[in-house]
Amino acid sequence: MSALLLSLGVSGIAAAQEPVDLDMVSRIRQEAFHRSQVMDHFSHLTETIGPRLSNSPQMAQANAWTRGQFTDWGLANVHDEAFDDFGRGWEFSSASVEMLGDRVQPLHALPKAWTPGTDGAVEGELVQVTIKKLADIDQYRGKLGGKILLLGEAREYKRPTEPDSHRHDATSLEGLQEFTIPKGTAKERDKRVKEYKERLELAKAVNTFFAEEGALAALSISGWDNGIIRVAGGGSRKAGEPVGIPELAMIAEHFNPLARALENKQTVKLRVNVAARFTDETDQPGYNTVAEIPGRGRKANEIVMLGAHMDSWHTGTGAADNAAGVAVMMEAMRILKAVGAKPDRTIRVALWSGEEQGLVGSQAYVAKHFAAYPEPTDPAQKALPGSLRDPTGPLQKHRDYDRFSAYFNMDNGSGRFRGIYAQENLAVTPIFQAWLAPFHDVGATTVATRNTGSTDHISFDRVGLPGFQFIQDRLDYFSNVHHSHLDTWDHVEPEDLKQAAAIVASFVYHAATREEKLPRKPVLENR
Amino acid sequence: MSALLLSLGVSGIAAAQEPVDLDMVSRIRQEAFHRSQVMDHFSHLTETIGPRLSNSPQMAQANAWTRGQFTDWGLANVHDEAFDDFGRGWEFSSASVEMLGDRVQPLHALPKAWTPGTDGAVEGELVQVTIKKLADIDQYRGKLGGKILLLGEAREYKRPTEPDSHRHDATSLEGLQEFTIPKGTAKERDKRVKEYKERLELAKAVNTFFAEEGALAALSISGWDNGIIRVAGGGSRKAGEPVGIPELAMIAEHFNPLARALENKQTVKLRVNVAARFTDETDQPGYNTVAEIPGRGRKANEIVMLGAHMDSWHTGTGAADNAAGVAVMMEAMRILKAVGAKPDRTIRVALWSGEEQGLVGSQAYVAKHFAAYPEPTDPAQKALPGSLRDPTGPLQKHRDYDRFSAYFNMDNGSGRFRGIYAQENLAVTPIFQAWLAPFHDVGATTVATRNTGSTDHISFDRVGLPGFQFIQDRLDYFSNVHHSHLDTWDHVEPEDLKQAAAIVASFVYHAATREEKLPRKPVLENR
């Protein structure tokens, strides 16, 4: 199955004699395309529940609602699974910034998650503050009390040269067939570790400094232009850590004029009002929601997983990131029940929390159920994210490590599936080619050998378990919606989600019924 | 000069032996490119004064400030010139909409100009109201008291297929050479008149109805997607006319979920708070700001004009629409003074008001100084805009009608000049080709015979006076900024404004010094 053969196939690797149950695929397609409920799941998550910041009350609602749906569909072992000590919940209900003086004008800004509210409207003079390293703090000491801080400088407008929205074509899909030899070195990794530590140290120092000074609030520029508020977290979710002062991200079109006014020595006075609160006094566990279709027979204790992160950032409704993925994974489970699938292996769905804070939920789950590298004893090492730690010794495996077949994830926006990344696992490529064949007619054709990163399949991949993500049309994920206040219902295409659900259901079904578990690639023991 | 000759020139019409003063062009370019002040004018208008709704206090500030600048530069006859009875001024200082209930969420919306404020926060249940014709009103009678109205239905997201920003290339400029034979008929004009009257009647009836019902506020969907608030006026600027209720335009990404919630029979409660006010009790005149460089000798009573509208909509800072045009026209006048231009004809700049309400300021100015068709006596005809009225008799000309040479306008956003529209005046094309030649190296090459419409040069064109606009790069004028809250400083390119100012100064200089006034096209006496 893993023999490399020259072929005319897309990836250069011949399709194997991998069995595909076309009768089952037909049934899955019928259910997915003609009796779809994927938009019901998606709508409930985005427009009834809304944004789902990890450990927020809305995330808890989403855990409860998805448990209810899974139970209604007759799934087994429906439960929330806690992971330790994630931190505190946070929510905001309103935010306003107004320019005062001769020209009163509302300015568009929204708070960073895990920063405090203002406790009513505050008014103060705006001062510009640029801190790039610890030593930059000194010049501002004793000067920021009662002020509102403009963090950083104006950013020049970047005129877009490409359409906001992008779908793959034959050329761009062909481009994905190329594998880029990594150029990373140990030295570069050391640099990344150093930069990470410095960034963390600086953020804590700045949070402490601003609060000690008694500054009223801080404004930073949104990550994107065109009136889009792109913003993630600030402050700290951990009880006892400095949360700084109320901080908001402002649209570039309103931030830049403030920066120019200060540059021109004009006095600017603002009113800021943020209603935001930490919902807990102490650190709380996070919760992943898990459910199963049990396998039958001798392979019932083997596991095929599918999942997506249910947590989101807080200013949109977490639609493309990632109610889309959750709705598709839910729908795949519903479809499998609806078509009466009787898998040999157990199919387990997991809706993760803490993804946006560094794959926290899925990493804890994998460590508990499958495998983990030993925890470092050095506190400095402990403070680093898994991917930046020094090796701590060989992988420590649980019983289910060897019973695990594969994990399928969705978290590249809401765009249509155009294939799958094999994550350098060459042995799976002919299998995936066979499984994709019945979906060529809906645009999913490509198996790329390359890795794709940055979401929950990496928690599996890191310990040598097969974890995959699909190739998706980008749409306007990286121009309008990713981590922005426009990550909402309307930017998603219902047909794309129906297509994705059918493919996930079929992949999971075949993974759960094929003779062997999916092949694995060698573990990089030095990680 | 107007002889048609076969040539290899861009427009098919040979360049005439039109004299061009290249020494003066060099001096204009030096001043425009190397000692530019255009961004100072532009910055003051947009970021010190801000938006300039006709008859608002900020428009009055702009009148005063531009008069001051013109006086400082030594221009003559600097004054504001009133036009009758424009209406009342209006301004807003803040606007917020919040979703209440289980999920408190701020929603992005800004008020329509000339609609009332809420006089503090109001709270009410949201109801959907769709009124497309008078008869639609009845079904809502007695049902809207204390409610907040969602006007119309959800709009499907339109995925952009082209880049937000566009500059001309050889192909698109070549395309402008084509003249489209008009297909309008008298019947179509009758239809337009009928639709205009119906629209006006419906708007008044709806304003009256909503107010009588005691509805608290109304929300309509922004004209564009992607979080952009594109909004103009509502209510009425005329004292005594029904102004309706507070009305706001909401971003599509927040409006659509409300529409879907109501469709799903969910109860939605909102809080709306708009601080807005009419600044006058009674109708006031509007004011254009006018200034001159007097001509010398026997042609001193002949006139060349340049201008741009200074009024803007209220949610951005009226940057591309049209501080850009005003800054360029101001800069052209400054350049001409700086280079010591001694024109034969008088050069007169006019910064119009009331453009956004239908070229009101420029039309009144042209009627007073140059020519007008007789005012209709029928009140129904009087209520129509000039372009839709029945013919009322021959043009009534003032003394200066025959002394007028040409008017040059800028109001197609802030993009670089790529040529000029000859407005079907074939006799000017060889002249313009000659005048453009020294600006080919900065991208201005094209003379198009076609008309361009919808701004103040039309007030001249309509009475048979040569009035022109330049061909401009579109940039993101029609994707992001036109009449939107993103019409701000950052979307404008300083280099483009410098180029435009040089070309306007040179065109105006040559028009004011050439032997003859510019040729005219025949007046369409039936208009």
Side-chain angles (χ1 to χ4, degrees), chain B residues 30 40 132 135 204 308 337 405 444 508:
Chain B
Q30 287 290 314
D40 299 330
K132 291 179 177 166
K204 280 188 188 184
K337 284 299 285 186
S405 176
V508 163

Side-chain angles (χ1 to χ4, degrees), chain A residues 47 159 253 260 491 493, chain B residues 159 253 260 491 493:
Chain A
E47 305 212 324
R159 209 162 279 289
E253 285 81 359
R260 285 188 288 268
H491 289 250
E493 305 269 347
Chain B
R159 208 162 279 288
E253 285 81 358
R260 284 188 289 268
H491 289 250
E493 305 269 346

Side-chain angles (χ1 to χ4, degrees), chain A residues 374-524:
Chain A
E375 276 291 299
T377 48
D378 175 9
Q381 282 288 313
K382 256 179 129 65
L384 292 174
S387 60
L388 294 179
R389 288 177 185 169
D390 293 335
T392 47
L395 201 56
Q396 297 175 331
K397 298 173 186 172
H398 300 293
R399 190 184 55 185
D400 279 352
Y401 187 82
D402 292 325
R403 296 173 174 170
F404 185 86
S405 176
Y407 171 71
F408 297 96
N409 192 69
M410 173 170 169
D411 183 27
N412 280 341
S414 63
R416 185 171 290 226
F417 283 6
R418 308 305 302 273
I420 189 164
Y421 298 100
Q423 209 74 18
E424 289 191 76
N425 182 340
L426 297 195
V428 299
T429 60
I431 303 168
F432 286 170
Q433 281 171 351
W435 292 354
L436 273 186
F439 296 99
H440 285 193
D441 64 345
V442 289
T445 54
T446 300
V447 180
T449 55
R450 65 172 66 181
N451 292 297
T452 189
S454 307
T455 179
D456 294 301
H457 67 296
I458 293 296
S459 297
F460 294 84
D461 187 72
R462 205 178 269 154
V463 297
L465 294 177
F468 303 100
Q469 278 232 118
F470 295 86
I471 298 166
Q472 292 182 254
D473 282 337
R474 192 173 68 220
L475 305 183
D476 61 342
Y477 195 52
F478 290 117
S479 50
N480 285 326
V481 307
H482 184 246
H483 296 186
S484 92
H485 79 297
L486 298 184
D487 188 7
T488 55
W489 198 98
D490 287 282
H491 289 250
V492 165
E493 305 269 347
E495 295 74 19
D496 290 353
L497 299 190
K498 290 182 191 176
Q499 185 250 25
I503 293 174
V504 169
S506 182
F507 266 58
V508 163
Y509 176 79
H510 285 95
T513 50
R514 82 190 292 269
E515 189 55 34
E516 302 290 329
K517 297 195 296 293
L518 283 194
R520 298 182 183 186
K521 64 182 176 186
V523 193
L524 292 173

Side-chain angles (χ1 to χ4, degrees), chain A residues 94-100 105-112 115-127 146-150 215-220 245-250 258 268-276:
Chain A
S94 70
S96 70
V97 182
E98 283 169 282
M99 189 149 69
L100 305 177
Q105 191 201 347
L107 303 173
H108 286 199
L110 290 170
K112 293 191 172 183
T115 62
T118 53
D119 199 16
V122 296
E123 293 183 10
E125 198 188 319
L126 189 67
V127 296
K147 307 292 191 201
I148 293 168
L149 316 183
L150 192 80
L216 300 176
L219 305 172
S220 34
I245 58 175
E247 186 175 341
L248 304 92
M250 179 172 278
L258 297 179
V268 178
K269 211 178 153 187
L270 300 180
R271 181 188 295 134
V272 178
N273 196 346
V274 179

Side-chain angles (χ1 to χ4, degrees), chain B residues 189 192-193 196 200 237 357-360 363-364 367 371-376 379-393 395 458-459 461-463 524-527:
Chain B
R189 200 170 143 281
R192 283 216 311 282
V193 171
Y196 178 87
L200 211 70
R237 65 180 199 266
Q357 291 71 44
L359 324 183
V360 184
Q363 202 168 307
Y373 295 94
E375 276 291 298
Q381 281 290 310
K382 256 179 130 65
L384 292 175
S387 60
L388 293 179
R389 287 176 185 168
D390 293 334
T392 48
L395 200 57
I458 294 296
S459 297
D461 187 73
R462 205 178 268 155
V463 298
L524 292 173
E525 277 292 348
N526 69 353
R527 308 161 61 212

Side-chain angles (χ1 to χ4, degrees), chain A residues 47 49 51 58 93-94 98 103 106 157 159 165 226 253 256-257 260 476 480 486 488-491 493, chain B residues 47 49 51 58 93-94 98 103 106 157 159 165 226 253 256-257 260 476 480 486 488-491 493:
Chain A
E47 305 212 324
I49 296 176
Q58 288 167 323
S93 59
S94 70
E98 283 169 282
R103 184 152 77 87
Y157 180 66
R159 209 162 279 289
S165 194
N226 293 318
E253 285 81 359
N256 289 341
R260 285 188 288 268
D476 61 342
N480 285 326
L486 298 184
T488 55
W489 198 98
D490 287 282
H491 289 250
E493 305 269 347
Chain B
E47 305 213 324
I49 296 176
Q58 289 168 322
S93 58
S94 70
E98 283 169 281
R103 183 153 78 86
Y157 180 66
R159 208 162 279 288
S165 193
N226 293 317
E253 285 81 358
N256 289 342
R260 284 188 289 268
D476 60 341
N480 285 325
L486 298 185
T488 57
W489 198 98
D490 287 282
H491 289 250
E493 305 269 346

Side-chain angles (χ1 to χ4, degrees), chain A residues 102 126 235 265 312 325 335 350 391:
Chain A
D102 289 345
L126 189 67
K265 313 286 178 211
S312 76
I335 291 168

Side-chain angles (χ1 to χ4, degrees), chain A residues 192-393:
Chain A
R192 282 215 314 281
V193 170
K194 185 164 166 284
E195 286 170 354
Y196 177 88
K197 285 180 179 169
E198 285 172 359
R199 220 167 35 239
L200 211 70
E201 189 185 14
L202 183 62
K204 282 189 187 181
V206 165
N207 280 346
T208 305
F209 173 63
F210 287 167
E212 281 174 0
E213 286 278 312
L216 300 176
L219 305 172
S220 34
I221 191 167
S222 163
W224 285 339
D225 294 328
N226 293 318
I228 299 170
I229 300 178
R230 188 179 202 226
V231 57
S236 173
R237 66 179 198 266
K238 291 288 187 184
E241 286 192 357
V243 296
I245 58 175
E247 186 175 341
L248 304 92
M250 179 172 278
I251 67 171
E253 285 81 359
H254 288 166
F255 182 97
N256 289 341
L258 297 179
R260 285 188 288 268
L262 295 184
E263 239 169 68
N264 297 332
K265 313 286 178 211
Q266 292 169 25
T267 301
V268 178
K269 211 178 153 187
L270 300 180
R271 181 188 295 134
V272 178
N273 196 346
V274 179
R277 67 183 192 103
F278 289 86
T279 56
D280 310 290
E281 292 289 321
T282 55
D283 288 345
Q284 301 295 317
Y287 294 93
N288 305 313
T289 296
V290 180
E292 291 181 347
I293 298 174
R296 304 187 327 162
R298 64 178 176 84
K299 294 177 192 160
N301 63 9
E302 293 179 4
I303 305 148
V304 171
M305 286 191 70
L306 62 163
H309 74 85
M310 189 148 68
D311 66 297
S312 76
W313 288 109
H314 54 297
T315 64
T317 55
D321 191 13
N322 191 15
V326 171
V328 162
M329 295 302 158
M330 290 176 75
E331 177 72 352
M333 292 301 273
R334 189 196 67 77
I335 291 168
L336 290 170
K337 284 299 284 188
V339 301
K342 308 284 181 215
D344 298 321
R345 298 183 179 85
T346 291
I347 296 173
R348 183 185 299 164
V349 64
L351 307 177
W352 311 112
S353 186
E355 192 275 348
E356 296 292 5
Q357 291 72 45
L359 324 183
V360 183
S362 59
Q363 201 169 306
Y365 186 90
V366 169
K368 181 175 163 197
H369 289 267
F370 303 116
Y373 294 95
E375 276 291 299
T377 48
D378 175 9
Q381 282 288 313
K382 256 179 129 65
L384 292 174
S387 60
L388 294 179
R389 288 177 185 169
D390 293 335
T392 47

